[in-house]
Coordinates of all heavy atoms in Angstrom, one line a residue:
G26 N 1.6 0.2 7.2 CA 1.7 1.6 6.9 C 3.1 2.1 6.4 O 3.7 1.4 5.7
E27 N 3.6 3.2 6.9 CA 4.7 3.8 6.4 C 6.0 2.9 6.6 O 6.9 2.9 5.7 CB 5.0 5.1 7.2 CG 6.2 5.9 6.7 CD 6.0 6.6 5.4 OE1 4.8 6.8 5.0 OE2 7.1 6.8 4.7
H28 N 6.0 2.1 7.6 CA 7.2 1.2 7.8 C 7.4 0.3 6.6 O 8.6 0.0 6.2 CB 7.1 0.4 9.0 CG 8.1 -0.6 9.3 ND1 9.3 -0.3 9.8 CD2 8.2 -1.9 8.8 CE1 10.1 -1.4 9.9 NE2 9.5 -2.4 9.3
Y29 N 6.4 -0.1 6.0 CA 6.5 -1.1 4.8 C 6.7 -0.4 3.5 O 6.7 -1.1 2.5 CB 5.3 -2.0 4.8 CG 5.3 -3.0 6.0 CD1 4.7 -2.7 7.1 CD2 6.0 -4.2 5.8 CE1 4.8 -3.6 8.2 CE2 6.0 -5.1 6.8 CZ 5.4 -4.8 8.1 OH 5.4 -5.7 9.1
R30 N 6.9 0.9 3.4 CA 7.0 1.6 2.2 C 8.2 1.1 1.4 O 8.2 1.0 0.2 CB 7.2 3.1 2.6 CG 7.2 4.0 1.3 CD 7.3 5.5 1.7 NE 7.4 6.4 0.6 CZ 8.5 6.7 0.0 NH1 9.7 6.2 0.4 NH2 8.5 7.6 -1.1
Y31 N 9.3 0.7 2.1 CA 10.5 0.1 1.5 C 10.2 -1.1 0.6 O 11.0 -1.3 -0.3 CB 11.5 -0.2 2.6 CG 11.3 -1.5 3.3 CD1 11.9 -2.7 2.9 CD2 10.4 -1.5 4.3 CE1 11.7 -3.9 3.5 CE2 10.2 -2.7 5.0 CZ 10.8 -3.9 4.6 OH 10.5 -5.1 5.3
L32 N 9.1 -1.7 0.7 CA 8.8 -2.9 -0.1 C 8.2 -2.5 -1.4 O 8.0 -3.4 -2.3 CB 7.8 -3.8 0.6 CG 8.3 -4.5 1.9 CD1 7.2 -5.3 2.6 CD2 9.5 -5.5 1.6
L33 N 7.9 -1.3 -1.6 CA 7.2 -0.8 -2.8 C 8.2 -0.3 -3.9 O 9.4 0.0 -3.7 CB 6.3 0.4 -2.4 CG 5.3 0.2 -1.3 CD1 4.5 1.5 -1.1 CD2 4.4 -1.1 -1.6
T34 N 7.8 -0.5 -5.1 CA 8.5 0.0 -6.2 C 8.6 1.6 -6.3 O 7.7 2.2 -5.5 CB 8.0 -0.5 -7.6 OG1 6.7 0.1 -7.8 CG2 7.9 -2.0 -7.6
K35 N 9.4 2.2 -7.0 CA 9.4 3.6 -7.1 C 8.1 4.1 -7.5 O 7.5 5.2 -6.9 CB 10.4 4.1 -8.1 CG 10.6 5.6 -8.2 CD 11.8 6.0 -9.1 CE 11.9 7.5 -9.2 NZ 13.0 7.9 -10.1
K36 N 7.4 3.6 -8.5 CA 6.1 4.0 -8.9 C 5.1 3.9 -7.8 O 4.2 4.7 -7.6 CB 5.7 3.2 -10.1 CG 4.3 3.6 -10.6 CD 4.0 2.8 -11.9 CE 2.5 3.2 -12.4 NZ 2.2 2.4 -13.6
E37 N 5.1 2.7 -7.1 CA 4.2 2.5 -6.0 C 4.4 3.5 -4.9 O 3.4 3.9 -4.3 CB 4.4 1.0 -5.5 CG 3.8 0.0 -6.5 CD 4.2 -1.4 -6.1 OE1 5.1 -1.6 -5.3 OE2 3.4 -2.3 -6.5
K38 N 5.6 3.7 -4.6 CA 6.0 4.8 -3.6 C 5.3 6.1 -3.9 O 4.8 6.7 -3.0 CB 7.5 4.9 -3.4 CG 8.1 3.7 -2.7 CD 9.6 3.9 -2.6 CE 10.3 2.7 -1.9 NZ 11.8 2.8 -1.9
N39 N 5.3 6.5 -5.1 CA 4.7 7.8 -5.5 C 3.2 7.8 -5.3 O 2.6 8.6 -4.7 CB 5.0 8.1 -6.9 CG 6.5 8.5 -7.1 OD1 7.2 9.0 -6.2 ND2 7.0 8.2 -8.3
L40 N 2.6 6.6 -5.7 CA 1.1 6.4 -5.4 C 0.8 6.3 -3.9 O -0.2 6.9 -3.5 CB 0.7 5.2 -6.2 CG 0.8 5.3 -7.7 CD1 0.4 3.9 -8.3 CD2 -0.2 6.3 -8.2
F41 N 1.7 5.7 -3.2 CA 1.4 5.5 -1.7 C 1.5 6.9 -1.1 O 0.6 7.3 -0.3 CB 2.5 4.6 -1.2 CG 2.4 4.3 0.3 CD1 1.7 3.3 0.8 CD2 3.1 5.1 1.2 CE1 1.6 3.0 2.1 CE2 3.0 4.9 2.5 CZ 2.3 3.8 3.1
D42 N 2.5 7.8 -1.5 CA 2.6 9.1 -1.0 C 1.5 10.0 -1.3 O 1.3 11.0 -0.6 CB 4.0 9.7 -1.4 CG 5.2 9.0 -0.9 OD1 5.1 8.2 0.1 OD2 6.3 9.1 -1.5
Q43 N 0.8 9.6 -2.3 CA -0.4 10.4 -2.8 C -1.7 9.9 -2.2 O -2.8 10.4 -2.5 CB -0.5 10.4 -4.3 CG 0.6 11.0 -5.1 CD 0.5 10.8 -6.5 OE1 -0.5 10.7 -7.2 NE2 1.8 10.6 -7.2
G44 N -1.5 8.8 -1.3 CA -2.7 8.4 -0.6 C -3.4 7.2 -1.2 O -4.6 6.9 -0.9
E45 N -2.7 6.5 -2.1 CA -3.3 5.4 -2.8 C -3.0 4.1 -2.1 O -1.9 3.9 -1.5 CB -2.7 5.3 -4.3 CG -3.2 6.4 -5.2 CD -4.6 6.3 -5.5 OE1 -5.2 5.3 -5.6 OE2 -5.2 7.4 -5.7
L46 N -4.0 3.2 -2.0 CA -3.8 1.8 -1.4 C -3.0 1.0 -2.5 O -3.4 1.0 -3.7 CB -5.2 1.2 -1.2 CG -5.1 -0.2 -0.6 CD1 -4.7 -0.2 0.8 CD2 -6.6 -0.9 -0.7
I47 N -2.0 0.3 -2.0 CA -1.2 -0.4 -2.9 C -1.4 -1.9 -2.6 O -1.4 -2.3 -1.4 CB 0.4 -0.1 -2.7 CG1 0.6 1.4 -2.9 CG2 1.2 -0.9 -3.7 CD1 0.2 1.9 -4.2
L48 N -1.5 -2.8 -3.6 CA -1.7 -4.2 -3.5 C -0.7 -4.9 -4.1 O -0.2 -4.6 -5.2 CB -3.1 -4.6 -4.0 CG -4.3 -4.6 -3.1 CD1 -4.1 -5.6 -1.9 CD2 -4.7 -3.2 -2.6
H49 N -0.2 -6.0 -3.5 CA 0.7 -7.0 -4.1 C -0.1 -8.4 -4.1 O -0.7 -8.7 -3.1 CB 2.0 -7.2 -3.3 CG 2.9 -6.0 -3.4 ND1 4.1 -5.9 -2.7 CD2 2.8 -4.9 -4.2 CE1 4.7 -4.8 -3.1 NE2 4.0 -4.2 -4.0
Q50 N 0.0 -9.0 -5.2 CA -0.6 -10.4 -5.4 C -2.1 -10.4 -5.0 O -2.5 -11.2 -4.2 CB 0.2 -11.4 -4.7 CG 1.7 -11.5 -5.1 CD 2.3 -12.8 -4.6 OE1 2.0 -13.8 -5.0 NE2 3.4 -12.6 -3.8
E51 N -2.8 -9.5 -5.5 CA -4.2 -9.3 -5.2 C -5.0 -10.5 -5.7 O -6.1 -10.8 -5.1 CB -4.7 -8.1 -5.9 CG -6.1 -7.6 -5.4 CD -6.4 -6.2 -6.0 OE1 -5.6 -5.7 -6.8 OE2 -7.4 -5.6 -5.5
E52 N -4.4 -11.3 -6.6 CA -5.2 -12.4 -7.1 C -5.3 -13.5 -6.1 O -6.1 -14.5 -6.3 CB -4.6 -12.9 -8.5 CG -3.2 -13.5 -8.3 CD -2.0 -12.5 -8.2 OE1 -2.3 -11.3 -8.2 OE2 -0.9 -12.9 -8.1
I53 N -4.5 -13.5 -5.1 CA -4.6 -14.6 -4.0 C -5.1 -13.9 -2.7 O -4.4 -14.1 -1.7 CB -3.3 -15.4 -3.9 CG1 -2.1 -14.4 -3.7 CG2 -3.1 -16.4 -5.0 CD1 -0.8 -15.1 -3.4
A54 N -6.2 -13.2 -2.8 CA -6.7 -12.5 -1.7 C -7.0 -13.4 -0.5 O -7.4 -14.6 -0.6 CB -8.0 -11.9 -2.1
G55 N -6.6 -12.9 0.6 CA -6.9 -13.6 2.0 C -5.6 -14.4 2.4 O -5.6 -14.8 3.5
S56 N -4.7 -14.6 1.5 CA -3.5 -15.4 1.9 C -2.4 -14.5 2.4 O -2.5 -13.3 2.2 CB -2.9 -16.2 0.7 OG -2.3 -15.3 -0.3
N57 N -1.4 -15.0 3.1 CA -0.3 -14.2 3.6 C 0.5 -13.5 2.5 O 1.3 -12.6 2.8 CB 0.6 -15.0 4.5 CG 0.0 -15.4 5.8 OD1 -0.8 -14.6 6.4 ND2 0.4 -16.5 6.4
N58 N 0.3 -14.1 1.3 CA 1.2 -13.5 0.2 C 0.5 -12.4 -0.5 O 1.1 -11.7 -1.3 CB 1.5 -14.6 -0.9 CG 2.5 -15.7 -0.3 OD1 3.4 -15.2 0.4 ND2 2.3 -16.9 -0.6
C59 N -0.8 -12.2 -0.2 CA -1.5 -11.0 -0.7 C -1.3 -9.9 0.3 O -1.7 -10.0 1.5 CB -3.0 -11.3 -0.9 SG -4.0 -9.9 -1.2
N60 N -0.7 -8.8 -0.1 CA -0.4 -7.7 0.9 C -0.9 -6.4 0.4 O -0.8 -6.0 -0.7 CB 1.1 -7.6 1.1 CG 1.6 -8.8 2.0 OD1 1.3 -8.8 3.1 ND2 2.3 -9.7 1.3
A61 N -1.6 -5.7 1.4 CA -2.2 -4.4 1.1 C -1.4 -3.3 2.0 O -1.0 -3.7 3.1 CB -3.6 -4.3 1.5
F62 N -1.1 -2.2 1.4 CA -0.3 -1.2 2.1 C -1.2 0.1 2.2 O -1.6 0.6 1.1 CB 1.0 -0.9 1.3 CG 1.8 -2.2 1.2 CD1 1.7 -3.0 0.0 CD2 2.8 -2.5 2.1 CE1 2.4 -4.1 -0.1 CE2 3.7 -3.7 2.0 CZ 3.4 -4.5 0.8
H63 N -1.4 0.5 3.4 CA -2.3 1.6 3.7 C -1.6 2.9 4.1 O -1.2 2.9 5.3 CB -3.3 1.2 4.8 CG -4.2 0.1 4.5 ND1 -3.8 -1.2 4.5 CD2 -5.6 0.1 4.3 CE1 -4.8 -2.0 4.2 NE2 -5.9 -1.3 4.1
P64 N -1.5 3.9 3.2 CA -1.0 5.2 3.7 C -2.1 5.9 4.6 O -3.3 5.6 4.5 CB -0.8 6.0 2.4 CG -1.8 5.3 1.4 CD -1.8 3.9 1.8
N65 N -1.7 6.6 5.5 CA -2.6 7.4 6.3 C -3.7 8.1 5.6 O -4.9 8.2 6.1 CB -1.8 8.3 7.3 CG -1.0 7.5 8.4 OD1 -1.2 6.3 8.6 ND2 -0.2 8.3 9.1
Q66 N -3.2 8.7 4.5 CA -4.2 9.5 3.8 C -5.4 8.7 3.2 O -6.5 9.1 3.1 CB -3.5 10.3 2.7 CG -4.3 11.4 2.0 CD -4.7 12.4 3.1 OE1 -3.8 12.9 3.9 NE2 -6.0 12.8 3.1
Y67 N -5.0 7.4 2.8 CA -6.1 6.5 2.3 C -7.1 6.2 3.4 O -8.3 6.2 3.2 CB -5.5 5.2 1.9 CG -6.5 4.2 1.5 CD1 -7.1 4.2 0.2 CD2 -6.9 3.2 2.5 CE1 -8.1 3.2 -0.1 CE2 -7.9 2.3 2.1 CZ -8.5 2.3 0.8 OH -9.4 1.4 0.5
L68 N -6.6 6.0 4.7 CA -7.5 5.8 5.9 C -8.4 7.0 6.1 O -9.6 6.8 6.3 CB -6.7 5.4 7.1 CG -5.7 4.2 7.0 CD1 -4.8 4.1 8.2 CD2 -6.5 2.9 6.8
V69 N -7.8 8.1 6.0 CA -8.5 9.4 6.3 C -9.6 9.6 5.2 O -10.8 9.9 5.5 CB -7.6 10.6 6.4 CG1 -8.4 11.9 6.4 CG2 -6.7 10.5 7.6
N70 N -9.2 9.3 3.9 CA -10.1 9.6 2.8 C -11.2 8.6 2.6 O -12.2 8.8 2.1 CB -9.3 9.7 1.5 CG -8.4 10.9 1.4 OD1 -8.6 11.8 2.2 ND2 -7.5 10.9 0.5
N71 N -11.0 7.4 3.1 CA -11.9 6.2 2.9 C -12.5 5.6 4.2 O -13.7 5.5 4.3 CB -11.2 5.2 2.0 CG -10.8 5.7 0.7 OD1 -11.6 5.7 -0.2 ND2 -9.6 6.1 0.6
F72 N -11.6 5.1 5.1 CA -12.2 4.5 6.3 C -13.0 5.4 7.2 O -13.9 5.0 7.8 CB -10.9 3.9 7.1 CG -10.5 2.6 6.5 CD1 -10.5 2.3 5.1 CD2 -9.8 1.6 7.4 CE1 -10.1 1.1 4.7 CE2 -9.4 0.5 6.8 CZ -9.5 0.2 5.5
S73 N -12.5 6.7 7.3 CA -13.1 7.7 8.2 C -14.6 8.1 7.7 O -15.3 8.6 8.5 CB -12.3 8.9 8.3 OG -12.2 9.6 7.1

């Protein structure tokens, strides 16, 4: 969540703040190097 925002690029931070899910290395899904960043708004808009 918010704690990991510092790992994002400036563009990604803007998207994150708008409630967008951010992915790093999506092509290696399931591995420790594939990382998803969930803003609270994404959880509310989608998971709920």
Side-chain angles (χ1 to χ4, degrees):
E27 184 68 25
H28 174 87
Y29 287 91
R30 187 177 178 277
Y31 76 96
L32 294 174
L33 308 180
T34 65
K35 183 177 180 179
K36 180 179 179 181
E37 288 172 337
K38 287 177 181 175
N39 289 333
L40 293 171
F41 183 89
D42 294 342
Q43 294 171 34
E45 293 291 327
L46 179 71
I47 307 299
L48 267 299
H49 287 176
Q50 300 192 64
E51 194 170 7
E52 68 279 3
I53 47 176
S56 74
N57 285 333
N58 292 322
C59 169
N60 285 288
F62 303 89
H63 296 74
N65 288 349
Q66 196 58 49
Y67 174 85
L68 299 174
V69 171
N70 292 345
N71 297 275
F72 280 28
S73 64

